[in-house]
Amino acid sequence: MKSKVTVNAYAKINLMLDINYKRTDNYHDLFMIMQSVGIYDTVSVEKIKGRDIVISCNIDGIPLDEKNIAHKAATAFFKTNKIRSKGIHIDIIKRIPHAAGLAGGSADGAAVLVALNEIYETKLSEDELCDIGVKIGADVPFCIKGGTLLSQGIGEVLSKVKPLRQCFIVLAKPNCSVNTGLAYSQFDEFGKTHTPNQLEMLKAIQSRDLADISNKLENVFEQFIEVEGRVQIKEIMRNNGALGACMSGSGPTVYGIFTEKEAAENAADEIKDITNEVFVCKPVNKGCKIRH
């Protein structure tokens, strides 16, 4: 039995994000096509003496108590598996920008579930881990599975679609943050002025035509969430040859899809005049990867 497991927890972007309606349980029914990308947090989970869940992180401003989704994930794992709370230390090396629409917190929670499944040899399937994960965050099931997936319901209904072709993705997080709860309340109050074409996007995804997919990128939050610098960032991306650009999640991160590495790097260099949180990465085919 292992006493320590380290996991790469990958960020995600939304190739499409649409809100269908507000449900009677106050959650929202969603249509999202999600893609894992190659920027990741490193999450190490280790058994320690005692019965506490201890969290450490390399950056300030991240809660280190039960407010952290990693803590919630560990608590839910122990409860589901009827393991009397054992002492563990969760160390998070964050590279995914915080509160950025890239599911950084959900990725960390997913990584904790994957690591504990390995440490305690509970042999839970991905689907069983997802059943635990959805109770702590709507994006956690996707972050467990990863790759390119259609996500529906509140995020718990995941369907395989064709993987995104290799390309270069520039991520740029403006110097602001968006409150997700507030973003959804804006939808509840104002609704949407335009509905993304879900079927046409699915056809583009299944054809694996990168230009067609990039042409149909859409995020319904952009209709009612203002993000300073978003228009400028998109313009720089397009001027440098991006096939398409869009906001991820409830924001504020904007991403662009490029076929050429040099063009992606040129765009990233130019965007650094607006924000220093800029990354060039590629699509990846998983959400969590155990490091051996």
Side-chain angles (χ1 to χ4, degrees):
M1 196 183 280
K2 294 173 183 168
S3 62
K4 182 178 180 180
V5 170
T6 300
V7 179
N8 288 350
Y10 292 97
K12 65 83 187 162
I13 57 172
N14 298 87
L15 302 176
M16 179 168 275
L17 192 163
D18 192 13
I19 306 169
N20 293 323
Y21 54 87
K22 187 176 183 179
R23 298 162 27 142
T24 52
D25 59 8
N26 281 335
Y27 284 102
H28 292 80
D29 191 81
L30 304 171
F31 177 97
M32 302 184 288
I33 294 173
M34 320 253 269
Q35 175 63 52
S36 303
V37 294
I39 171 174
Y40 59 88
D41 290 349
T42 302
V43 180
S44 297
V45 182
E46 185 173 18
K47 283 184 174 181
I48 56 171
K49 286 180 179 169
R51 296 179 64 173
D52 292 336
I53 297 168
V54 179
I55 300 177
S56 56
C57 186
N58 64 321
I59 62 166
D60 296 331
I62 302 294
L64 303 177
D65 56 11
E66 56 275 2
K67 291 192 194 82
N68 191 308
I69 199 164
H71 192 292
K72 292 176 185 174
T75 303
F77 178 87
F78 289 138
K79 187 179 176 184
T80 303
N81 291 287
K82 298 183 171 59
I83 296 168
R84 285 180 174 243
S85 196
K86 305 283 175 69
I88 55 162
H89 174 214
I90 301 167
D91 180 59
I92 303 169
I93 298 172
K94 280 210 83 62
R95 300 180 191 87
I96 303 170
H98 178 54
L102 299 171
S106 296
D108 298 342
V112 168
L113 293 176
V114 168
L116 289 173
N117 194 36
E118 191 83 358
I119 288 170
Y120 286 96
E121 295 178 347
T122 33
K123 296 185 170 63
L124 298 182
S125 67
E126 270 191 350
D127 286 341
E128 288 170 317
L129 288 175
C130 288
D131 288 342
I132 302 172
V134 75
K135 293 171 188 148
I136 52 176
D139 284 339
V140 176
F142 173 80
C143 291
I144 290 168
K145 292 194 169 188
T148 317
L149 292 174
L150 167 62
S151 171
Q152 293 170 285
I154 63 166
E156 83 285 17
V157 183
L158 297 171
S159 312
K160 277 197 169 181
V161 291
K162 294 276 179 72
L164 195 66
R165 289 193 186 279
Q166 275 305 307
C167 58
F168 297 92
I169 297 168
V170 176
L171 306 174
K173 180 186 181 264
N175 300 316
C176 61
S177 57
V178 174
N179 181 299
T180 303
L182 186 65
Y184 278 104
S185 69
Q186 293 280 99
F187 169 80
D188 297 339
E189 191 174 343
F190 302 112
K192 54 186 176 182
T193 52
H194 166 71
T195 296
N197 195 323
Q198 300 175 3
L199 184 61
E200 287 302 311
M201 179 52 124
L202 276 176
K203 284 182 186 171
I205 290 280
Q206 293 304 87
S207 73
R208 301 191 75 205
D209 183 328
L210 198 59
D212 197 19
I213 293 165
S214 301
N215 199 33
K216 292 181 169 63
L217 302 174
E218 195 165 351
N219 182 341
V220 80
F221 280 122
E222 293 199 49
Q223 295 177 28
F224 38 83
I225 296 294
E226 284 305 315
V227 170
E228 197 180 329
R230 181 171 68 205
V231 173
Q232 283 171 281
I233 289 167
K234 283 186 173 187
E235 196 175 348
I236 291 169
M237 288 175 172
R238 290 200 181 95
N239 289 345
N240 280 281
L243 296 177
C246 191
M247 188 173 80
S248 184
S250 57
T253 300
V254 177
Y255 67 88
I257 295 178
F258 296 78
T259 51
E260 303 297 328
K261 187 180 183 183
E262 189 181 0
E265 287 173 345
N266 288 344
D269 286 343
E270 218 176 305
I271 291 165
K272 281 173 188 166
D273 291 339
I274 299 171
T275 173
N276 57 1
E277 288 199 273
V278 188
F279 311 87
V280 179
C281 55
K282 290 180 179 180
V284 293
N285 62 3
K286 54 183 62 183
C288 286
K289 183 181 180 185
I290 295 173
R291 291 169 67 148
H292 295 288

